[in-house]
Every structure is written in structure tokens, then in C-alpha cells.
Amino acid sequence: MGSKNIKLPKIIFSHEDLKPDTLVWNQVKSQVYKALVEYGCFEASFDKIPIYLYKPNLKTFQPNPMWDNTILFHSMKAWALMILTFLIKLKNLLKFYGPKEIFLFVILRAISRVKPNNKEDDCGEFRGGKVHVNSTNYFLRLIKYKTPQSSETEMGLRAHTDTEILTILYQNHVNGLQLFTKDKQWKNINPTPGTFTIIIGDSLHAWTNGTIHAPYHRVLIRGSERRYSIGLFSTPKDGYTITTPKELINEDHPLLFKPYNHLEFLTFSYTEEGMQCESALKTYCGV
Ligand SMILES: O=C(O)CCC(=O)C(=O)O
Ligand SMILES: [Fe+2]
């Protein structure tokens, strides 16, 4: 399985003046949009914390309530180290933007492409986006992969799209994540150490009427070192129905997915049919 490497767009979120409605903000927004249309994922770098965030936040570390009951502290040193770095980095990210805001600017940018009067400023008032953003929950998944039993490469995690809205992945130094690109090739993602890999899930793909790509990805394991990864998944709240806003439907972009209940779709995606079909989302609610 000799796959090529791909360097995902690396987007830097630590500019000091990255605040809404600045030039930098619009540039970042547009980088995010391009990356998500092309790959459905990108590398997010938060190396430098803007100076004004240092003062109030870093001394008083308060875990975000959304992490309650989600982190099982594992005894292994590797986990402790991974989680600590992840949380510190994530805290910077969440304090600054929060997954909701990242999510929001992705959506707003997507909407601006198809809105009849293409003025980006108007999109901030787009109520559908806000309603949707307020309907998300989060869960954290810690993954410890087996090391291969032989010298062969083995499948660590089968090819899938994430059914959720958006995934923020963080990994240790052992690579293995692969992306199925639009030109139908598996490519190795070797993230820059310390960055997050952001991956779009089916819900956002459906909600944006297919504008934003939800890529297939998988994990291959090889070598003798163990891969650890942490994923923060934002997911529609139980009972939430994903409905493509009418602003995103027009002659050039006809409706792709009927409104669907996320929990029911999740149940379908784990059935034999859901696991075997090419796209569980299309089979379940494709128009
Ligand atoms: O371990 C990884 O990097 C990928 C994890 C993943 O794709 C998932 O949990 O959905
Ligand atoms: Fe995944």
C-alpha cells in the first residue's frame, strides 16, 4: 500500500489581529473555505497565543464543561502527555474562537458563495447558521492503536466519513492517517507536529448542500511505535434535524439531501446496509 503524501493547507490561527471583520480574518476565512471545498480538511496551527490572551486566561485553567465525563484519564504516560498537550492547545483554540466560531465562519463563507447578493457582510446575520451552531454537542474520543503483529502494514481504522459536523484531531508523532482525495487516491497525511487536523463530517456536508466536502479517511498502522490520537467531535444534538437552508439551494445547486434526523442516520450508518453502501448519507437521505 505505497501511498503518496499530501501536504494539507496549513492555516495559522494565531495572528495577533485575527479578529472578526479584519483583513486577516477574511483571509483566514477564505483559506478555510478553499481547503474545505477541495479537501474537506486542513491543518490548524495555534503555535503563538495572541498576547492579549495571555493575561487573563493562562493562569486560571478551568476545564471547559463540555469535557465533563468525557476524558478517561489513562494511566499511561503517553496518554497523560498527549492529553495535556491537547488540552493546553485546545484551550487556546477554544478560548479564542471555540469550535462554534470556526464552524460558523466556515458556514458563513460557504453561504456567501451561493447567496444571491454575494456580500459577505450580510452573512453574519444569517439566522439559519446561528440556529444550527446552537444545536451542537461535543464528545471526545481517545484512540490507542495496536501495533502491527507483523512487518506488514495493517488497517487501524477502516475507511469512513465522520458522520458528525466537524472533527478536531490531535495525534502523537506516529503517522498513519490517510485521506481519500477528490482524484480518488489514498494519500498519507503527516501533520506538522503540534497542529490539529480539522476534518469535516457528513452533517456539515449535507447542511451546506454539498458545498463543503466530507472526506473519506482511514488509519494504517505500521512499524513498532504506537499511534495515539484524540478527536474532539462536534455533533448535532439528539433529535436535531439537519435541513439545508433555502439560501443554499438554487438552480445551480439543487437540493442534495432531504432533511434528516441525525440520530436515526447514525443508527442506519451502523447497519449492514449502511456500512456496505458507498455513501451512507446518500443512501439514507440523498435526493
Ligand atoms: O486516529 C486518527 O487520526 C483518526 C481517527 C478518526 O478518523 C475517527 O475517530 O473518526
Ligand atoms: Fe474519522
Side-chain angles (χ1 to χ4, degrees), residues 187-248:
K187 304 251 174 83
N188 302 313
I189 296 182
N190 300 334
T192 311
T195 59
F196 295 102
T197 304
I198 312 291
I199 303 184
I200 291 304
D202 289 332
S203 307
L204 192 47
H205 174 72
W207 194 80
T208 60
N209 206 18
T211 308
I212 285 177
H213 183 52
Y216 270 90
H217 53 285
R218 68 183 183 188
V219 175
L220 298 185
I221 47 170
R222 49 176 96 85
S224 57
E225 288 192 287
R226 198 183 281 280
R227 173 181 174 82
Y228 291 90
S229 68
I230 301 181
L232 178 68
F233 298 81
S234 57
T235 176
K237 280 187 181 154
D238 290 358
Y240 187 72
T241 300
I242 313 263
T243 311
T244 305
K246 59 181 185 335
E247 286 84 347
L248 296 178

Side-chain angles (χ1 to χ4, degrees), residues 6-11 13 30-44 102 106 160 162 165-169 177-182 186-191 196-201 204 211-218:
I6 187 170
K7 196 72 204 143
L8 289 178
K10 178 173 164 185
I11 304 179
F13 290 81
S30 138
Q31 287 170 355
V32 168
Y33 175 71
K34 272 195 206 133
L36 294 188
V37 170
E38 179 58 29
Y39 303 107
C41 61
F42 61 87
E43 231 178 62
I102 292 181
V106 169
H160 65 284
D162 291 342
I165 299 168
L166 182 140
T167 306
I168 302 175
L169 275 177
L177 182 61
Q178 289 197 325
L179 183 77
F180 194 61
T181 51
K182 283 189 168 175
W186 283 107
K187 304 251 174 83
N188 302 313
I189 296 182
N190 300 334
F196 295 102
T197 304
I198 312 291
I199 303 184
I200 291 304
L204 192 47
T211 308
I212 285 177
H213 183 52
Y216 270 90
H217 53 285
R218 68 183 183 188

Side-chain angles (χ1 to χ4, degrees), residues 112-279:
S112 73
R113 202 198 88 185
V114 287
K115 273 193 88 173
N117 85 8
N118 223 1
K119 268 179 76 190
E120 262 181 51
D121 288 353
D122 296 347
C123 299
E125 299 307 317
F126 183 70
R127 273 183 288 125
K130 288 191 180 151
V131 169
H132 194 67
V133 162
N134 288 333
S135 310
T136 49
N137 264 337
Y138 302 89
F139 67 90
L140 197 66
R141 183 186 291 151
L142 312 182
I143 310 179
K144 175 183 165 191
Y145 290 91
K146 288 186 178 146
T147 45
Q149 301 302 303
S150 65
S151 55
E152 300 289 300
T153 298
E154 290 176 15
M155 191 63 75
L157 189 61
R158 69 177 180 89
H160 65 284
T161 53
D162 291 342
T163 53
E164 296 78 24
I165 299 168
L166 182 140
T167 306
I168 302 175
L169 275 177
Y170 190 64
Q171 63 163 67
N172 69 347
H173 62 288
V174 181
N175 289 324
L177 182 61
Q178 289 197 325
L179 183 77
F180 194 61
T181 51
K182 283 189 168 175
D183 58 357
K184 301 196 184 309
Q185 292 184 45
W186 283 107
K187 304 251 174 83
N188 302 313
I189 296 182
N190 300 334
T192 311
T195 59
F196 295 102
T197 304
I198 312 291
I199 303 184
I200 291 304
D202 289 332
S203 307
L204 192 47
H205 174 72
W207 194 80
T208 60
N209 206 18
T211 308
I212 285 177
H213 183 52
Y216 270 90
H217 53 285
R218 68 183 183 188
V219 175
L220 298 185
I221 47 170
R222 49 176 96 85
S224 57
E225 288 192 287
R226 198 183 281 280
R227 173 181 174 82
Y228 291 90
S229 68
I230 301 181
L232 178 68
F233 298 81
S234 57
T235 176
K237 280 187 181 154
D238 290 358
Y240 187 72
T241 300
I242 313 263
T243 311
T244 305
K246 59 181 185 335
E247 286 84 347
L248 296 178
I249 308 164
N250 57 35
E251 270 178 28
D252 296 335
H253 303 89
L255 180 69
L256 293 181
F257 303 99
K258 288 176 255 180
Y260 71 94
N261 176 293
H262 179 69
L263 210 57
E264 286 167 15
F265 164 57
L266 207 60
T267 310
F268 170 76
S269 69
Y270 286 112
T271 60
E272 209 176 315
E273 188 191 355
M275 300 225 281
Q276 274 169 11
C277 58
E278 200 188 316
S279 160

